[in-house]
Amino acid sequence: MPEHFQRKRFAEHDFVFVGHVPVRAHKRANRWQFDEDEVRAAGRTIAALPWDLGDLLDPRLHRPGEQEPATPPRTGWRERIRRWADHAALAARMKNGCPCGTPCRRSPDGWALPCGLTPESLLQRCANHSIACLLPLPALVWSRDTWTVPRTLALVLDQWEQADTTLAAGNCVCGTCGTHNTDPTRHTPAADGWKVLCPTCATADLRRYDEELAGTTYARVREQGPRAEDFLCTMCSPARPAAAWDHCHEHGLIRGPLCGNCNTQEAQGMEFLARHGSVRHLLRCKSCRAQLHLPPHHRIAALRRHLHLERGLRGCETPMHMCVSIAETSEGGYEYRVRCFGQRASSTVSLTAAEADHILARTVESGML
C-alpha cells in the first residue's frame, strides 16, 4: 500500500488519487480501507500511459518578460514543487549561509533555482516528496534557467488537480441545514465516513468543557466516558468539535478535549506554544500546575520560543523550530543558535541551567494568570 494512502486524512473527500485516477476509500468500524483491485487497476492505468522522459515541456504558465494573467489558472502541483524548492533552499541557507550575502527571494516565475540550492541538493532532500502517489522531482530536468517536466507527468498532474478540485467542491454542503460550507476543516468524522457540517450545526449539540474532569486520569475516562466527541475543542476559536481527550503523558491526567488538528499539534510540541492559551491548556494537568512545570517535550519548545522572540529578527514569520536549534549539555544547561531568514551570521551560545529555569518559570507564570 503506497505511503500516501496510509497517511491520507480524507478531510475534503473520500478519495485518494493514483496520478489522475481516483480510488474511493471506505470507512468500516472507524477504519479507512481500500479495495485492492481498485488500487491495482489505478496503478495499471498509470503504467500504461506513454511515458517518454525525453518529451519535456516548460511548466511555466507565462514566460519571463510576459505579463502574468490577471486571474492566473489554478496551479496547485506547480506551487507545491516550487514550495519544496523554496524550503530546501531556506534550509541550505540556514545551514551554510547565503552565497550572495543578502536576503533572497525566489524568482518572479518561481522556477529558477533559489539562491543557495543546486539540482543535486534539491533531489537529495526532496526526491521522496509525493503528489498523488507520484514522485515528480526525480523526473524533472534542469534546463539553463528552469526545470522542465515530462509531458505525460504534467498532463497527469493537471488532470489530478482538476479532479481533486471538483471532488472537494462537490462535498461542501452541510448535511443538516443544506448551506454551503467553504471551510473543508469543518468536515466532522463519523463511523462510516465524513459528515459535512456548517459551524452552527457542528457545534449545536456539543458541550463546552468547564474542566469538570480536572484531576481525572485518562485511563478512567477512556473506560467510563464521557466521549470527547460530545464536547467542543478547548483551543479552537471559533470552537470546533473535539475528537480526542488530550492528556498529560507524564502524569496521565486529563487536560481537555481537542479537535484532531490541535491534538496533533500539541503532540508535536514545536509550534503549539505559539498559540494563544496553550500554556494555560497544558497546566490543566493538576500535577503540572502544582509542580509549576511544563511537560518535557514542551520545555525545549518554550526555550526555543523565548530565544526566537528575544534573539531572532523582529516579526520573523518562519516557524521557530527552523530558526532556533537548541541542545542540552551535560551540565544541565543548553547550547543554542538563533538564525532567522535574512540574518547574515549566527553563533552557538550557552544558556545556563539557572537561566533556562528562569525562562521556564516565566512561561509557566503566563499560563497561571
Side-chain angles (χ1 to χ4, degrees):
M1 185 71 70
E3 181 184 0
H4 182 75
F5 274 55
Q6 299 174 19
R7 65 173 184 258
K8 167 73 176 179
R9 296 183 57 209
F10 305 104
E12 294 185 341
H13 51 68
D14 297 348
F15 291 86
V16 165
F17 281 84
V18 179
H20 63 294
V21 183
V23 178
R24 180 181 287 277
H26 307 276
K27 196 173 186 182
R28 303 184 183 97
N30 281 315
R31 296 188 63 182
W32 289 101
Q33 301 176 28
F34 297 91
D35 185 295
E36 184 175 350
D37 291 339
E38 293 180 5
V39 176
R40 294 184 180 277
R44 289 193 295 269
T45 299
I46 298 299
L49 295 174
W51 291 95
D52 181 358
L53 298 183
D55 182 12
L56 303 171
L57 57 81
D58 189 330
R60 292 174 291 187
L61 296 176
H62 64 289
R63 303 294 184 268
E66 296 179 355
Q67 184 176 0
E68 187 171 357
T71 306
R74 180 178 168 87
T75 57
W77 67 266
R78 293 174 172 84
E79 179 61 29
R80 193 176 301 184
I81 291 175
R82 292 185 299 196
R83 190 164 60 246
W84 290 342
D86 283 342
H87 288 174
L90 174 60
R93 292 195 295 269
M94 294 286 290
K95 180 178 180 181
N96 304 317
C98 183
C100 67
T102 58
C104 298
R105 303 294 180 188
R106 75 184 183 194
S107 60
D109 61 73
W111 282 86
L113 276 175
C115 186
L117 192 66
T118 64
E120 294 76 18
S121 60
L122 175 61
L123 290 177
Q124 183 178 10
R125 183 178 180 87
C126 303
N128 292 325
H129 289 20
S130 66
I131 301 177
C133 291
L134 303 179
L135 303 177
L137 289 188
L140 303 187
V141 176
W142 178 249
S143 177
R144 294 188 301 278
D145 63 344
T146 189
W147 292 97
T148 53
V149 182
R151 186 179 304 276
T152 300
L153 177 61
L155 292 175
V156 166
L157 292 178
D158 281 339
Q159 291 181 48
W160 156 75
E161 194 171 297
Q162 182 177 3
D164 186 57
T165 302
T166 300
L167 285 172
N171 197 24
C172 291
V173 177
C174 176
T176 299
C177 67
T179 60
H180 190 269
N181 172 40
T182 59
D183 182 357
T185 63
R186 291 291 179 181
H187 289 40
T188 302
D192 58 350
W194 285 90
K195 295 187 297 183
V196 183
L197 297 175
C198 67
T200 301
C201 294
T203 60
D205 298 323
L206 302 180
R207 300 161 51 187
R208 292 194 176 274
Y209 181 67
D210 195 28
E211 303 194 30
E212 52 264 44
L213 297 178
T216 306
T217 64
Y218 174 69
R220 177 184 172 186
V221 172
R222 185 176 57 183
E223 293 178 0
Q224 302 179 13
R227 302 187 317 151
E229 292 86 346
D230 294 332
F231 290 82
L232 296 170
C233 176
T234 60
M235 286 292 296
C236 286
S237 180
R240 301 172 187 269
W245 284 111
D246 178 47
H247 61 286
C248 176
H249 288 261
E250 187 176 14
H251 302 109
L253 299 180
I254 290 291
R255 289 195 287 247
L258 294 181
C259 68
N261 289 337
C262 292
N263 194 45
T264 298
Q265 193 176 55
E266 187 282 321
Q268 293 174 343
M270 291 184 294
E271 301 297 320
F272 184 72
L273 292 185
R275 300 186 55 182
H276 177 73
S278 57
V279 177
R280 180 178 179 274
H281 173 80
L282 296 176
L283 294 178
R284 286 193 174 113
C285 168
K286 282 194 168 184
S287 294
C288 287
R289 192 176 186 88
Q291 297 171 17
L292 299 178
H293 77 179
L294 296 173
H297 71 294
H298 286 290
R299 293 169 196 168
I300 291 291
L303 296 176
R304 182 180 281 119
R305 175 161 173 74
H306 172 83
L307 295 168
H308 191 215
L309 294 174
E310 293 294 321
R311 302 295 180 88
L313 287 179
R314 186 175 299 276
C316 174
E317 296 182 356
T318 304
M320 60 190 183
H321 69 275
M322 295 183 64
C323 297
V324 184
S325 61
I326 185 168
E328 191 169 3
T329 65
S330 57
E331 293 80 18
Y334 297 86
E335 289 186 348
Y336 70 89
R337 187 184 74 166
V338 180
R339 186 173 185 179
C340 293
F341 175 70
Q343 287 181 315
R344 294 191 178 185
S346 66
S347 59
T348 300
V349 183
S350 296
L351 190 70
T352 67
E355 291 171 331
D357 289 343
H358 178 67
I359 293 171
L360 292 172
R362 288 176 55 189
T363 303
V364 170
E365 288 174 6
S366 70
M368 301 285 286
L369 300 178

